[in-house]
Amino acid sequence: MPTAEPICPRCGYDLSAESRKWTHACPLDGACWECGLRLEWADLFSPDRRRDVFFVEHAPERHEVLPAAWRTWWWAIRPPVFWSRIRLETAIVPRRIAWWVFCVLLAFHAFCALASNAILGKLRGWDLFLPFRDDIRAETFTAWLAPVGCLIADWRGTTIWGYRFAPAWEFTSWGPAYLPLLAMSLMLPIMLLVLKDTRAKARVRRAHILRAAVFGLAWLVPLMLLALAHFAFNQWAASSNRTNLLYFQIGPKWLALESIWGFALVPFGAAWILWWWWSALSRGWRLDEHGRVWLAASAPALLVVVIVLALDQDLVNLLA
Ligand SMILES: [Zn+2]
């Protein structure tokens, strides 16, 4: 349960010396001595004003956590909505942030993996989950392994020689946009934390950066959904002998639809991540220098996207 403390909600500076000066009356608003945040004292002293029962971190009952987690995702996918609602004064409950990862990201991943297994079962026979049907067992596991990689079957002639695990940079069913966008999502908060200059300018408590980093992974849900839709289309095309639909002809070259849609998502995802952090810095944390801090953190994050893309052999082949 959030408690009322006279500390600055942005930088954590103890403002109790200020409140001790009040004897008969107190001002309604003031500013933090350390970071200059304009604040209403009532936001610090009234626990009700620091809670939002519709937010996953503050859902009062256990059975309300799941709907609140998805409601929070629906705010987060529209960054200005999230950051207008979740303010610096909104008390941070780290345990519930972990619950959000479980209820939204992991649960949706499990749902998509089950759905893609069901598609395989429907199109290729439900006995594929039995040990003797080893021809496509790799694909049934690959959907589950998406965040870290995939399982590849090694064929010798018409029989499978063995399976090997391939890391996500070789292949993931979440598509080629996943790793560059993940790298960007990690790089931005790291830059805010480690760059002495941005930390000094930002003066934002680590817990706020952690909260923004975790809910800033909201883009994974549409990515998983698109990957599932793509998988379903692929399987349908393969099972109905329409594999020609999976390739595009540009000039003399045949390009796999998979690579094209995958890489096309990168600019959209990157734009969303930039929008998320812009909203966090300006609307959520109300930084005076939000433009400069945002640029200092965004530039290295975009550079990381370019580096991860440049290391992707598939993109190199696509552009060659
Ligand atoms: Zn402060």
Side-chain angles (χ1 to χ4, degrees), residues 104-123:
V104 172
L105 300 183
L106 291 180
F108 195 67
H109 168 49
F111 166 79
C112 290
L114 274 175
S116 62
N117 280 184
I119 291 165
L120 278 178
K122 184 107 178 76
L123 293 175

Side-chain angles (χ1 to χ4, degrees), residues 66-193:
L66 183 67
W70 278 95
R71 195 182 300 116
T72 301
W73 173 80
W74 177 233
W75 298 340
I77 203 69
R78 299 163 299 160
V81 174
F82 181 91
W83 289 110
S84 304
R85 196 154 179 144
I86 306 309
R87 306 180 311 143
L88 284 164
E89 290 82 2
T90 311
I92 296 174
V93 187
R95 188 171 41 89
R96 285 292 183 82
I97 298 179
W99 269 104
W100 183 82
V101 172
F102 183 78
C103 293
V104 172
L105 300 183
L106 291 180
F108 195 67
H109 168 49
F111 166 79
C112 290
L114 274 175
S116 62
N117 280 184
I119 291 165
L120 278 178
K122 184 107 178 76
L123 293 175
R124 301 213 215 159
W126 293 98
D127 60 342
L128 70 92
F129 296 101
L130 299 174
F132 60 86
R133 276 284 303 268
D134 63 359
D135 53 337
I136 47 178
R137 234 186 308 159
E139 279 176 86
T140 64
F141 282 112
T142 287
W144 292 93
L145 291 172
V148 287
C150 70
L151 205 60
I152 292 178
D154 279 327
W155 290 84
R156 296 283 187 283
T158 52
T159 50
I160 284 175
W161 191 254
Y163 297 97
R164 76 182 171 89
F165 172 77
W169 54 86
E170 274 183 48
F171 182 83
T172 160
S173 57
W174 283 358
Y178 164 59
L179 276 189
L181 294 178
L182 184 69
M184 184 176 177
S185 280
L186 295 175
M187 193 62 183
L188 258 148
I190 289 173
M191 289 315 293
L192 290 176
L193 286 170

Side-chain angles (χ1 to χ4, degrees), residues 23-47:
T23 47
H24 300 297
C26 70
L28 289 177
D29 52 20
C32 168
W33 301 342
E34 178 67 18
C35 73
L37 176 71
R38 301 291 311 171
L39 40 87
E40 289 184 39
W41 291 108
D43 285 335
L44 271 56
F45 289 103
S46 156

